[in-house]
Amino acid sequence: GAGVSQSPRYKVAKRGQDVALRCDPISGHVSLFWYQQALGQGPEFLTYFQNEAQLDKSGLPSDRFFAERPEGSVSTLKIQRTQQEDSAVYLCASSWSLDRAYEQYFGPGTRLTVT
Amino acid sequence: AQSVTQPDIHITVSEGASLELRCNYSYGATPYLFWYVQSPGQGLQLLLKYFSGDTLVQGIKGFEAEFKRSQSSFNLRKPSVHWSDAAEYFCAVGHGSSNTGKLIFGQGTTLQVKP
C-alpha cells in the first residue's frame, strides 16, 4: 500500500495565524510520531501516539502546539499563533506496533514558513 | 541525556571511492542505533539498524555500519559510492529505556559525490 502521506506539503503562514498539518499513516500502523526539522538540523521529536492515546508529548515546544489522533489513524498537528521560530519541516512517521516502534516509516514532511 | 554527534557536516567523495560517515552517541545503556538517508524533498529512509548481536550490520543500498561500544560509535560505510548516494545522512539513537520508539537524531552529514 501507500506510504505515509502528509498534507499540505508546503504551508506559508503569517505570524499569528493558526495552522493544521495532517498526517495519514500507513494503514494498520499503530504508532505515530511527529518530528520537527529546522533548517540544517536533524529531526527533533515532538510527540508520540499509540492508537489514539498520546503517550509522550515531551517534545512539544510550547502550549501553542497541539496534536491529536482521535480515531487512531489520521493525526493532525496544530500550531496556534504561529511565530517565525516555528518555521521548519514537520515530519510524521508511523510504525506497526510498540514492539516494532523503532521501525518507523517517514512521510515527506510539511514545510512550514512563517512570515 | 542521550545525544548523537555527527562530526562531519559536509563530505565530498569521488564516485567509486569508499565512504565512511562518523557517528558518536552518548547513552547509558546499550543503545538502539540507526542510520537514515534523506534526499531532497523526500522523507527519511531507514538504511540500517542495530539492536543487539553482531556488531557489523548490513543495510540497503550496499551500506553497512559497525557498532563499537568502546568508542561509542556507529560509523556508516560503503565500499564504492554512486552518484545517487548524494543526500543527507542522519544517525539516530533510540530511547531504549522506555521503548516508545522516540528517536534522537544527529545534525546530519551532507554527502556530495563528484563525477
Side-chain angles (χ1 to χ4, degrees):
Chain A
V4 177
S5 61
Q6 294 185 244
S7 60
R9 290 292 311 277
Y10 303 91
K11 176 70 179 177
V12 178
K14 290 188 192 301
R15 192 162 61 109
Q17 283 184 332
D18 298 348
V19 298
L21 313 180
R22 177 187 169 104
C23 173
D24 282 88
I26 293 172
S27 179
H29 277 196
V30 170
S31 299
L32 186 145
F33 305 81
W34 283 99
Y35 293 86
Q36 180 190 57
Q37 185 176 18
L39 189 63
Q41 303 294 317
E44 291 193 1
F45 172 83
L46 292 177
T47 187
Y48 158 68
F49 290 85
Q50 182 84 344
N51 296 305
E52 69 278 5
Q54 189 175 18
L55 299 184
D56 186 343
K57 52 182 180 180
S58 61
L60 295 177
S62 76
D63 58 9
R64 296 186 296 104
F65 285 71
F66 172 74
E68 61 182 5
R69 195 186 184 198
E71 298 178 359
S73 178
V74 170
S75 177
T76 304
L77 176 68
K78 297 179 179 176
I79 308 173
Q80 297 176 324
R81 304 180 304 281
T82 52
Q83 299 179 7
Q84 284 195 314
E85 61 262 29
D86 300 334
S87 295
V89 175
Y90 291 85
L91 297 168
C92 176
S94 66
S95 63
W96 282 108
S97 64
L98 187 59
D99 289 351
R100 298 169 63 181
Y102 287 114
E103 296 181 26
Q104 295 175 28
Y105 296 80
F106 282 80
T110 294
R111 181 178 296 278
L112 172 65
T113 303
V114 181
T115 61
Chain B
Q2 291 176 304
S3 66
V4 177
T5 302
Q6 294 180 245
D8 305 305
I9 295 174
H10 192 277
I11 282 185
T12 301
V13 299
S14 297
E15 191 170 15
S18 64
L19 171 70
E20 183 169 30
L21 302 183
R22 296 184 291 164
C23 172
N24 294 96
Y25 66 89
S26 171
Y27 185 59
T30 299
Y32 296 164
L33 294 162
F34 308 82
W35 275 99
Y36 282 85
V37 61
Q38 187 177 39
S39 298
Q42 304 294 315
L44 291 158
Q45 182 182 22
L46 180 64
L47 286 175
L48 46 77
K49 60 184 183 287
Y50 172 80
F51 286 178
S52 65
D54 193 346
T55 57
L56 184 64
V57 293
Q58 303 296 321
I60 62 172
K61 304 185 180 189
F63 286 92
E64 67 178 26
E66 186 171 13
F67 170 56
K68 293 187 177 179
R69 184 190 301 276
S70 62
Q71 297 176 21
S72 297
S73 69
F74 188 57
N75 294 347
L76 182 71
R77 300 194 294 248
K78 186 169 185 178
S80 178
V81 168
H82 187 261
W83 64 267
S84 61
D85 293 325
E88 183 113 28
Y89 291 80
F90 293 95
C91 180
V93 62
H95 203 279
S97 61
S98 60
N99 199 33
T100 62
K102 175 179 178 178
L103 292 171
I104 308 296
F105 286 85
Q107 282 195 306
T109 297
T110 301
L111 173 65
Q112 184 178 4
V113 180
K114 290 191 301 186

